[in-house]
Amino acid sequence: MKNNEPGDQEEALRKVLKERRVGAALPPRFQEEVWRRIEQAERAPAPIAPSVRAFITHWIGTVLPRPALAASYVAILLAIGVTAGWAQGHQETRRVNNELGERYVRVLDPYQTPRQ
């Protein structure tokens, strides 16, 4: 059984890399083009933090690529929204009914204090 130690592999890799020669020549004005690109990158403004809309759009594009999964998310969020709206509406209706009851009692007998 051959025992491959890390030192042996590194030496073999170094030997192969030393023997390797690239025969292709660089394009004309290659170095000037590289420095021009570096200068452009340094002059370019720093990227602004992505907006909430961009984040949501990216999330939808990556996490919800399947229509069935997207439809289930929409259905769940819609159910949560309807339930929260119903609960808030029910609470508001109860408050208005109590207030109207107190007003009715005051109209019939202005000296009558409503029960708390």
Side-chain angles (χ1 to χ4, degrees):
M1 184 185 239
K2 203 172 193 183
N3 191 3
N4 290 332
E5 292 186 24
D8 295 338
Q9 292 176 352
E10 289 177 11
E11 289 299 321
L13 179 62
R14 284 191 187 114
K15 183 179 176 183
V16 170
L17 289 175
K18 284 181 184 179
E19 294 172 358
R20 174 83 172 126
R21 298 286 176 226
V22 178
L26 294 174
R29 303 176 67 122
F30 175 78
Q31 191 171 9
E32 291 175 22
E33 190 67 27
V34 168
W35 283 110
R36 185 184 64 76
R37 287 183 184 175
I38 291 172
E39 288 173 0
Q40 282 180 346
E42 288 175 350
R43 279 186 268 151
I48 300 172
S51 66
V52 173
R53 182 174 185 248
F55 175 76
I56 291 173
T57 304
H58 175 70
W59 182 76
I60 289 172
T62 56
V63 176
L64 300 175
R66 296 177 290 189
L69 186 60
S72 65
Y73 272 117
V74 169
I76 289 170
L77 291 175
L78 185 63
I80 290 171
V82 167
T83 303
W86 176 83
Q88 187 173 357
H90 185 69
Q91 180 182 5
E92 184 69 16
T93 302
R94 189 179 322 153
R95 185 189 65 78
V96 168
N97 285 341
N98 288 341
E99 186 178 322
L100 289 175
E102 290 174 7
R103 286 183 186 178
Y104 181 72
V105 168
R106 282 191 215 127
V107 166
L108 293 179
D109 187 4
Y111 298 109
Q112 178 81 24
T113 59
R115 287 191 250 170
Q116 296 294 336

